[in-house]
Amino acid sequence: MSPQVLEQSAAPTSEQSTAISANGEFNREAFDEAVMTTYGRFPLAVDRGEGCRLWDTTGRSYLDFVAGIATCTLGHANPIMTEAVTKQINKLHHVSNLYYIPEQGELAQWITANSCADRAFFCNSGAEANEGAIKLARKYGNTVLGMKNPIILTAKASFHGRTLATITATGQPKYQKNFNPLVPGFAYIPYNDIEAAEAKIKELNAYRPSVAAIMLEALQGEGGVRPGDREYFQKLRKICDDNKILLILDEVQVGVGRTGTIWGYENLGIEPDVFTSAKGLGGGVPIGALMCKSSCDVLRPGDHASTYGGNPFVCGVATAVCKTVEKAEFLANVKARGEQLRAGLAEAIAPYGDKFVEIRGWGLINGVELSADIETTSIDIVKAAMDAGLLLVPAGPKVVRFVPPLIVTPEEIDEALKVFSGAIAQFLGK
Ligand SMILES: *Cc1c(COP(=O)(O)O)cnc(C)c1O
């Protein structure tokens, strides 16, 4: 673009269309022209929110069972968030990690007091937290285990993010396509299959020890809402201990109350050596975190950093979120609403027999799987629900995912169930 054109476009004239016009109307064509087409978006422009409800730019309201994909822990415009955001923006929002940031220390202390971790590092997203975990595992492999080319095992159907290392870690070819060359040092195992894990470790360690870490989700979110199997994780924990392999859990989608416990791993009866968090941690402000036990705390000054990571703004807000989530009655609501939702879903799908495979989930992360033998996809159901005023999100082509804000009420669960029943009836005809 020539400087002249730039100058001209700097100030839109009254005839030019902009994504948001002077009278506040949304212009989809102008948006699509200016924003890269990396997302397949639903035709809905969101304007504002309150609690578990969102309003679009035409004023229509929706019940939000997506919550920014398991992110808006406390819903929208929650007074706890508004107060924390206001307090922090008025006091101090950003300084460099060249200096001590008290809010960062407070959040780290909350995490270490409420988890198996001894230390935390802060960054801005789930992918970045997992990148940190991968670097930590490699340094552990290089320095503690004396490996030249440490390997990290991850699961098929997993999801760990969109950076180069994390799409490589993600065991789904669709996320890797056309982005070759991928990052070396990863190998894949089927999820919840202990024999396969044992066989892979044996194979890779046959010549010399090579497996430094195993990175898994406590519950596979994007891969179809698949909870980890307790027995599998307990056996895997033992294998890791016996072979000095780090067990890394990606808690980006399930951490901070989503499953009815603070961390997803509490559902498995094990402790990871390393785990990551993001989505729900900040309730919607961008934050990621990498946690580890002191036994594998190998990163030293100069090894890793992030400009925004752990700034006073996000840490102040995340601490307010965490201190709300930790309350017994808050977590009790997550468990009770999850049970209510699963029971209602079971009732809703009962008339359709084998057109559904099953309902899966912990707390308020749940999925309903449609049979592979029918034409209807998760997107069909999600679109029909949206037309009827309920926002849901697919987890793969056959699973409809329910991840509402954790403050959801019994009445809102009932309302969602009603809309979902209507949506499935449209396709499955009863
Ligand atoms: C969403 C997600 C990520 C990626 O998080 P971003 O903040 O989008 O980078 C990583 N792992 C899991 C399990 C996720 O659900």
Side-chain angles (χ1 to χ4, degrees), residues 125-127 130 159-161 217 250 252-253 279:
S125 67
N130 290 335
F159 184 80
H160 298 293
E217 291 156 271
D250 176 344
V252 169
Q253 192 154 158
K279 292 192 169 88

Side-chain angles (χ1 to χ4, degrees), residues 41 79 101 137 157-158 194 252 272 285 303 312 364 375 377 424 426:
R41 294 178 201 267
I101 300 170
S158 60
I194 199 69
V252 169
V285 299
D303 278 346
L364 284 171
E375 263 179 44
T377 63
I424 58 176
Q426 278 180 39

Side-chain angles (χ1 to χ4, degrees), residues 225 227 338 341-350 356-361 365-369 400 402 420:
V225 190
L341 179 64
R342 284 187 298 277
L345 288 172
E347 221 172 277
I349 68 168
F356 286 93
V357 179
E358 63 176 348
I359 295 156
R360 293 187 291 265
I365 177 161
N366 292 286
V368 179
E369 184 172 5
V400 181
F402 295 73
F420 175 75

